[in-house]
Amino acid sequence: VKCKKHQGIAKYYSVIMEKMIYQAMMYLILAAKFNIPIIAVTGSNGKTNTNEILAYILSMRFSTLKVNF
């Protein structure tokens, strides 16, 4: 049994996920085309702080792009 109240929300999240997947694919394609290294931080704890620290340290020496999904 589907709940009519939440059908619109499911479509909304589906669109967001599709856009996020599309963005991730575009970053990967561009990185591969121009031989740009990618660092991915995964896990359940500490990702935001780790991303910020890595971006700060790497930006001191390299041109960087930090993307949050």
Side-chain angles (χ1 to χ4, degrees):
V1 178
K2 292 186 178 181
C3 177
K4 290 183 181 181
K5 180 180 177 183
H6 297 292
Q7 284 179 347
I9 293 172
K11 289 179 185 177
Y12 175 75
Y13 284 122
S14 176
V15 169
I16 289 175
M17 292 303 295
E18 288 174 14
K19 287 182 180 181
M20 289 173 62
I21 291 168
Y22 174 77
Q23 285 178 330
M25 289 174 59
M26 292 306 299
Y27 289 126
L28 290 172
I29 290 169
L30 289 172
K33 182 176 180 177
F34 295 105
N35 197 24
I36 300 169
I38 297 175
I39 298 174
V41 179
T42 63
S44 51
N45 294 316
K47 289 184 298 293
T48 302
N49 289 332
T50 303
N51 284 338
E52 295 296 327
I53 292 167
L54 279 174
Y56 177 74
I57 292 170
L58 292 172
S59 68
M60 290 181 186
R61 183 157 182 194
F62 305 103
S63 177
T64 60
L65 172 66
K66 182 175 74 84
V67 179
N68 295 325
F69 284 105

